[in-house]
């Protein structure tokens, strides 16, 4: 390898592969816009739209915004499999930009009815539900084999960065320009993303996708029921985390209600709380592997710590208390994600991993609409401080159930347990 080539290899992938850099920038823009609209719309519903059903309205909006990722999974899979990925990515971003631009124009002319806001949220979420898995599938078409791991790392990190940026900018945009302002900003981001993706080259698309149907060379994938039939430990863990998500994801409903009803503050406070949660999650993702202990023990302790942190703002109201609590919650979420995804990578057979992780995300994502609706409705009848306590108390039995699930794990549940080392077998409990 020449000195020039060696120097180029040391550059970040997004710089030495311009096409991947453009697509990655498009992902960053679309995910940030999606999050900015969700957080901004919720703050607008709670802080500006008024009415006696602020909690229910915002909860319903978040529920509607999360349904496409779960309900459209089969449709998305067929579209991604049958069409050129650059066309799908650019089309999804352009469609989202057109919807946001139309909504911005209508919102400037007259106030949008609640049904229209829900419809815009549903449409943007549907476009994002198509964009994200298509991008994951197209990574091998954009980069060389040696760069796939690096590209995957960039792709996975984008969600946290975009969520942090979008969550920070959404309430600020609403305070500055109302609902039309935040929707207009989203339209610009989506349309710019479409142009970036369209200008990118997918040099390996023909080589990777041509030459036969996957069914000609790969064995038929098993259903999730078949995958989990021999892994009762993983079944129990997934049930625990689905239950935990009902209480943890409710924070996106509770935060705006807490800001308005307890702190009596503005969108900048909602933005700071979103930022605290995002920063905590990023730090937890980077430090989770260094936390000592077996995954179930670490997960159980983290859930107890999260319970205390979520309940603390209900006992001691204050901006600083809420900021600190959400930093801790985010850190625990990051640690749990790192430790258990790594554990599942070891326990789930290689041939079953694509099916398992796809359905795992759908299962955990399906709890978000439930949390949004339930806590949104409760927010019209209970104070925000009480909702904080409900979140904390609800996580305690989940932490105990996770600990019990780990205690029932035995070596027979592990793939290839007969040849596994005792250290790796103990890692699962």
């Amino acid at each position: 390898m020449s000195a020039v080539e060696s120097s180029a290899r040391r550059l970040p992938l997004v710089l030495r592969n311009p096409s991947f850099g453009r697509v990655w920038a498009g992902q960053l823009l679309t995910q940030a816009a999606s999050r900015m609209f969700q957080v901004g719309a919720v703050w607008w519903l709670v802080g500006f739209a008024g009415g006696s059903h602020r909690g229910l309205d915002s909860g319903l909006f978040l529920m509607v915004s999360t349904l496409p990722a779960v309900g459209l999974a089969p449709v998305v899979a067929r579209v991604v499999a049958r069409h050129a990925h650059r066309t799908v990515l650019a089309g999804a971003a352009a469609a989202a930009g057109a919807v946001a631009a139309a909504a911005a124009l209508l919102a400037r002319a007259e106030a949008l009815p609640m049904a229209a806001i829900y419809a815009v949220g549903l449409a943007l979420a549907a476009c994002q539900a198509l964009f994200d898995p298509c991008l994951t599938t197209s990574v091998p078409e954009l980069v060389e084999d040696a760069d796939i791991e690096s590209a995957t790392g960039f792709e996975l990190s984008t969600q946290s960065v975009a969520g942090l940026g979008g969550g920070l900018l959404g309430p600020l945009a609403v305070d500055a320009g109302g609902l039309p302002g935040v929707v207009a900003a989203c339209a610009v981001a989506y349309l710019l993303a479409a142009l970036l993706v369209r200008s990118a080259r997918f040099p390996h698309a023909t080589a990777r996708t041509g030459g036969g149907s996957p069914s000609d060379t790969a064995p038929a994938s098993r259903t999730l029921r078949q995958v989990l039939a021999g892994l009762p430990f993983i079944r129990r863990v997934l049930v625990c985390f689905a239950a935990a998500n009902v209480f943890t994801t409710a924070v996106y409903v509770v935060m705006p209600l807490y800001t308005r009803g307890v702190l009596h503050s503005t969108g900048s406070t909602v933005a700071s709380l979103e930022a605290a949660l995002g920063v905590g999650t990023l730090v937890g993702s980077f430090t989770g592997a260094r936390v000592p202990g077996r995954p179930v023990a670490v997960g159980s302790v983290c859930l107890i710590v999260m319970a205390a942190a979520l309940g603390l703002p209900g006992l001691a109201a204050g901006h600083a208390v809420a900021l600190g609590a959400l930093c801790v919650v985010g850190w625990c979420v990051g640690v749990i994600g790192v430790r258990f995804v790594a554990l599942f990578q070891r326990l789930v057979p290689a041939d079953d991993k694509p099916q398992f992780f796809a359905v795992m995300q759908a299962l955990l994502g399906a709890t978000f609409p439930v949390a949004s609706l339930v806590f949104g409705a409760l927010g019209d009848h209970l104070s925000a401080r009480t909702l904080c306590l409900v979140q904390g108390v609800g996580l305690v039995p989940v932490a105990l159930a996770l600990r019990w699930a780990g205690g029932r794990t035995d070596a027979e549940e592990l793939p290839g347990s007969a040849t596994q080392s005792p250290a790796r077998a103990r890692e699962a409990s």
Side-chain angles (χ1 to χ4, degrees), residues 47-67:
F48 294 87
S52 58
H53 301 290
R54 292 183 176 91
L56 181 59
D57 289 343
S58 58
L60 281 172
F61 172 79
L62 285 175
M63 183 191 75
V64 166
S65 298
T66 54
L67 288 178

Side-chain angles (χ1 to χ4, degrees), residues 246-269:
V246 173
F247 297 98
T248 56
T249 57
V251 72
Y252 296 111
V253 177
V254 176
M255 273 192 295
L257 295 173
Y258 191 86
T259 299
R260 184 184 183 279
V262 178
L263 302 180
H264 307 291
S265 191
T266 64
S268 61
T269 299

Side-chain angles (χ1 to χ4, degrees), residues 5-407:
E5 291 174 333
S6 177
S7 177
R9 294 292 298 179
R10 287 196 293 268
L11 291 173
L13 179 62
V14 293
L15 296 180
R16 55 186 166 85
N17 186 330
S19 288
F20 176 76
R22 292 170 192 164
V23 175
W24 176 76
Q27 181 196 20
L28 185 65
L29 286 168
T30 59
Q31 290 188 346
S34 177
R35 186 71 186 138
M36 181 166 62
F37 178 73
Q38 287 183 4
V39 177
V42 168
W43 174 239
W44 180 79
L45 288 169
V46 171
F48 294 87
S52 58
H53 301 290
R54 292 183 176 91
L56 181 59
D57 289 343
S58 58
L60 281 172
F61 172 79
L62 285 175
M63 183 191 75
V64 166
S65 298
T66 54
L67 288 178
V70 178
L72 294 181
V75 177
V76 168
R78 287 195 294 270
V79 171
V80 172
R82 296 176 183 176
H83 297 85
H85 294 156
R86 182 172 67 172
T87 301
V88 173
L89 291 169
V99 170
L105 292 174
L106 292 174
R108 286 188 182 280
E110 57 181 331
L112 289 178
M114 202 68 67
I117 297 171
Y118 290 159
V120 172
L122 184 65
L124 296 183
C127 293
Q128 198 67 43
L130 180 59
F131 189 98
D132 290 339
C134 184
L135 177 61
T136 302
T137 306
S138 63
V139 164
E141 302 174 6
L142 287 161
V143 301
E144 301 287 346
D145 285 337
D147 291 325
I148 286 180
E149 289 186 358
S150 178
T152 302
F154 270 103
E155 185 214 345
L156 293 178
S157 68
T158 304
Q159 186 171 2
S160 295
V161 176
L164 177 60
L168 182 64
L169 293 175
L172 297 178
V174 170
D175 281 352
L179 189 63
V182 73
V183 182
C186 291
V188 172
Y190 282 124
L191 294 175
L192 179 57
L195 292 175
L196 286 169
V197 172
R198 196 64 194 170
S199 67
R201 293 177 58 252
F202 287 58
H204 307 291
T206 303
R208 308 267 187 181
T209 59
S213 167
S215 61
D216 296 335
T217 57
S221 61
R222 297 195 296 165
T223 65
L224 185 65
R225 184 188 297 272
Q226 292 171 325
V227 172
L228 296 181
L231 297 170
F233 163 68
I234 291 183
R235 289 203 308 268
R236 294 192 292 265
V237 169
L238 288 180
V239 170
C240 288
F241 284 138
N245 269 15
V246 173
F247 297 98
T248 56
T249 57
V251 72
Y252 296 111
V253 177
V254 176
M255 273 192 295
L257 295 173
Y258 191 86
T259 299
R260 184 184 183 279
V262 178
L263 302 180
H264 307 291
S265 191
T266 64
S268 61
T269 299
V270 180
S272 67
L273 296 179
E274 285 275 349
L277 184 64
V279 169
T281 303
L282 281 173
V283 174
S285 298
F286 285 116
T287 61
R290 300 185 180 92
V291 177
R294 295 172 294 181
V296 168
V298 171
S300 302
V301 172
C302 282
L303 286 177
I304 290 293
V305 173
M306 287 173 68
L310 287 171
L312 183 60
L315 298 175
H319 189 192
V321 172
L323 282 174
L326 288 174
C327 277
V328 173
V329 170
W331 182 83
C332 291
V333 168
V335 171
I336 289 174
V338 168
R339 297 302 296 270
F340 277 90
V341 169
L343 177 63
F344 294 156
Q345 291 281 13
R346 290 195 294 270
L347 297 186
V348 178
D351 291 341
D352 296 326
K353 285 179 181 178
Q355 170 79 351
F356 171 79
F357 284 114
V359 178
M360 181 191 77
Q361 291 298 328
L363 173 65
L364 298 180
T367 60
F368 192 86
V370 176
S372 300
L373 183 60
V374 170
F375 277 83
L378 288 175
D380 290 332
H381 304 284
L382 302 176
S383 70
R385 295 181 67 172
T386 302
L387 292 180
C388 293
L389 296 175
V390 171
Q391 285 182 275
V393 171
L395 277 180
V396 174
V398 179
L400 297 177
L402 179 62
R403 185 63 183 172
W404 171 82

